[in-house]
């Protein structure tokens, strides 16, 4: 393939921008952990107190609304306290990453255009910008959509599935970002 000059070239992300991109990936991981902790704590409160507590009330750092609910049972109080402290810690870490990225990153013109798309805010815009790199490296829109894992890889014939392509090609972080933008909560 090399001799025939048909070997596709891979893109190597610039070394200077990799740490910031990796920080946003770490932020995504921390948000997933915090969400898991929030859901767990909400389930504990609902099961034992019979009330539903909104996640924004649980995430409040300055005011603890969880401990008074679980104060009647020592075991539950400890579970609630540990969960609340973990959620608060993750929230502070997520904010510190966001602050650092804001200070460190130089935004290009494409970023402002991304922010004009409904459903794309600051973090999703940064993620899309950093995961995409220079958009000129894609020959056409279809190549970019495929790289973002937004194109079906299912093969059909006569309305029957005949196989699947390689679903793991492309960038899973871009796939996540565009799915989040398409489905704002």
């Amino acid at each position: 393939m090399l001799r025939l000059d048909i070997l596709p070239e891979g893109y190597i992300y610039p070394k200077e921008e990799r740490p910031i991109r990796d920080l946003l990936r770490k932020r995504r991981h921390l948000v997933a952990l915090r969400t898991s902790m929030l859901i767990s704590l909400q389930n504990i409160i609902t099961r034992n107190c019979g009330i539903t507590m909104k996640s924004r009330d649980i995430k409040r750092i300055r005011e603890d609304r969880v401990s008074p609910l679980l104060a009647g049972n020592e075991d539950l109080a400890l579970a609630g306290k540990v969960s609340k402290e973990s959620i608060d810690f993750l929230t502070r870490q997520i904010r510190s990453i966001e602050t650092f990225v804001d200070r460190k990153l130089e935004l290009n013109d494409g970023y402002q255009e991304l922010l004009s798309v409904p459903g794309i805010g600051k973090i999703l815009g940064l993620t899309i910008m950093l995961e995409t790199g220079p958009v000129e490296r894609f020959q056409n829109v279809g190549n970019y959509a495929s790289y973002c894992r937004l194109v079906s890889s299912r093969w059909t014939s006569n309305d029957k599935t005949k196989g699947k392509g390689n679903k793991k090609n492309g960038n899973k972080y871009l796939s996540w970002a565009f799915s989040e933008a398409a489905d704002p909560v």
Side-chain angles (χ1 to χ4, degrees):
M1 288 176 66
L2 187 59
R3 277 186 272 166
L4 293 173
D5 200 27
I6 59 172
L7 186 66
E9 288 183 23
Y11 176 73
I12 299 173
Y13 207 85
K15 198 171 188 172
E16 313 80 51
E17 296 177 14
R18 282 183 224 158
I20 294 178
R21 181 196 62 188
D22 293 341
L23 260 177
L24 282 178
R25 289 179 178 180
K26 176 52 71 180
R27 182 201 173 275
R28 178 180 176 260
H29 181 236
L30 294 177
V31 168
L33 287 173
R34 182 181 66 179
T35 301
S36 171
M37 301 283 302
L38 275 166
I39 291 169
S40 173
L41 186 55
Q42 283 176 322
N43 287 337
I44 289 172
I45 293 169
T46 302
R47 266 195 324 267
N48 295 291
C49 301
I51 61 170
T52 304
M53 189 170 214
K54 296 183 185 296
S55 59
R56 72 171 178 259
D57 292 334
I58 294 173
K59 286 191 285 188
R60 290 177 194 247
I61 290 179
R62 293 196 169 107
E63 182 183 354
D64 186 3
R65 295 185 176 184
V66 175
S67 296
L69 294 173
L70 303 173
N73 186 325
E74 186 179 348
D75 301 333
L76 291 175
L78 180 60
K81 179 183 176 204
V82 169
S83 295
K84 175 71 172 120
E85 287 175 1
S86 299
I87 291 166
D88 292 347
F89 174 76
L90 289 171
T91 300
R92 285 191 296 274
Q93 296 305 311
I94 290 165
R95 286 183 184 158
S96 71
I97 289 174
E98 291 171 355
T99 304
F100 182 82
V101 169
D102 268 349
R103 277 188 297 126
K104 190 86 171 173
L105 196 61
E106 294 177 23
L107 302 175
N108 60 28
D109 296 335
Y111 176 74
Q112 295 303 326
E113 291 177 30
L114 278 171
L115 292 180
S116 68
V117 175
I120 296 180
K122 184 173 90 174
I123 296 299
L124 285 180
L126 289 172
T127 300
I128 292 169
M129 182 183 83
L130 289 171
E131 294 292 341
T132 300
V135 76
E136 298 81 28
R137 66 189 179 107
F138 299 99
Q139 291 178 351
N140 58 45
V141 174
N143 291 4
Y144 181 66
S146 180
Y147 179 69
C148 296
R149 294 185 180 180
L150 300 174
V151 178
S152 174
S153 63
R154 206 175 85 198
W155 301 326
T156 59
S157 175
N158 198 23
D159 293 330
K160 294 181 183 173
T161 301
K162 298 297 180 182
K164 295 180 182 174
N166 189 349
K167 294 190 306 185
K168 293 193 175 187
N169 274 350
N171 188 310
K172 68 180 181 180
Y173 301 101
L174 278 172
S175 176
W176 165 81
F178 282 113
S179 67
E180 285 291 314
D183 186 31
V185 177

